[in-house]
Amino acid sequence: MILKKLRSRTYHWEPIEYDAYRGMLYVLARAAPDFAVLTNIFTEVKRRLPAFAPKAIMDFGSGIGTVLWSARGVWESDLREYFAVDTSADMNDLARLLARNGREENAPFLPGIFFRQFLPATHTLRYDVVVSAFSLMELPNQANRLLTLDNLWKKTDRFLVLVENGTNAGYRLIMEARTHLLRKAPVLDPQQTAIVFSPCPHEATCPRLRDKTPCNFAVGYTPTLEPTSNGRGIVKFSYVVLEKRTASDKKDGEDDRRWPRIVSPVLNRPRHVVCRTCDSDGRLKEVVVTAAKHGKECYKCARASRWGDRLPVAIDDVHV
């Protein structure tokens, strides 16, 4: 019943007013999949930028604080400050209680935790990472969403992470935000621009906007409710990680090569592997990799790759 209600709201794009009761339902139904999604996204940032260690994170639409738990798990003791914004006072109270391990008398496991119901008006304080996870759909209209995105962009010092459910509606919200900020970022701050850190290997228009197939990814998790036959659940999500950069920036020694992103399940066949990718030229491609044609190392790499991975090989013979 809980999951059915949340799915109904997701597909019909209606905001949910979270009181204490609905907050507890959210913990049971969504904490595990949301944690898995965020951990997946943060882990790629850490893997590609091992020297990047965020000290401060802002979480817009913070709910029960899942961003904090995921970020803490990935960056461990590097995190010093977590600033949570959620209009529901009941959700803030629940997140505060969870940060104290369920007991009011306990101190929070991270001293620098702050809860607010509204975004601060000032932009003097900036955060290494700003996150909006499963929150854009709760905003009443497009004008409100775009204004919120502008404010979130002004508050990040490095990364803005936007995540929604992997439905057509969630994907199109992410594309709306991506398109808006790639265009608007130089206006908001003439000294800096926005690039797509992940998942796209380009800043061109998403090729999947031309059809009705959302660009989404999947991650496994252990469900709290409605356990499956194998004890695992799968959640699909759409997301974009935008990075602030100046024209001459190259931070943390990252390899800037824009490897193709695998955008659907990899097909492992007896003597070949089929990878469907989004490439740096903004086109969808199908790559058929064989050991005879591409070499054993390339073949092993493709065979070990999964949906959502970058494919770190250069292959010329592809089908567009």
Side-chain angles (χ1 to χ4, degrees), residues 7-21:
R7 288 177 187 135
S8 173
R9 293 298 183 98
T10 296
Y11 280 93
H12 291 89
W13 206 339
E14 296 177 14
I16 300 175
E17 296 294 331
Y18 285 102
D19 52 18
Y21 173 70

Side-chain angles (χ1 to χ4, degrees), residues 77-89:
S77 59
D78 294 314
L79 192 61
R80 296 285 185 271
E81 181 182 344
Y82 171 73
F83 190 94
V85 179
D86 199 292
T87 56
S88 170

Side-chain angles (χ1 to χ4, degrees), residues 18-20 23 59-65 82-100 104 113-118:
Y18 285 102
D19 52 18
D59 183 6
F60 173 75
S62 52
I64 59 172
Y82 171 73
F83 190 94
V85 179
D86 199 292
T87 56
S88 170
D90 290 311
M91 289 291 266
N92 286 335
D93 290 341
L94 181 55
R96 187 180 292 108
L97 184 63
L98 290 172
R100 296 171 181 266
E104 287 286 0
I113 299 180
F114 306 95
F115 294 94
R116 299 290 186 274
Q117 286 185 266
F118 303 100

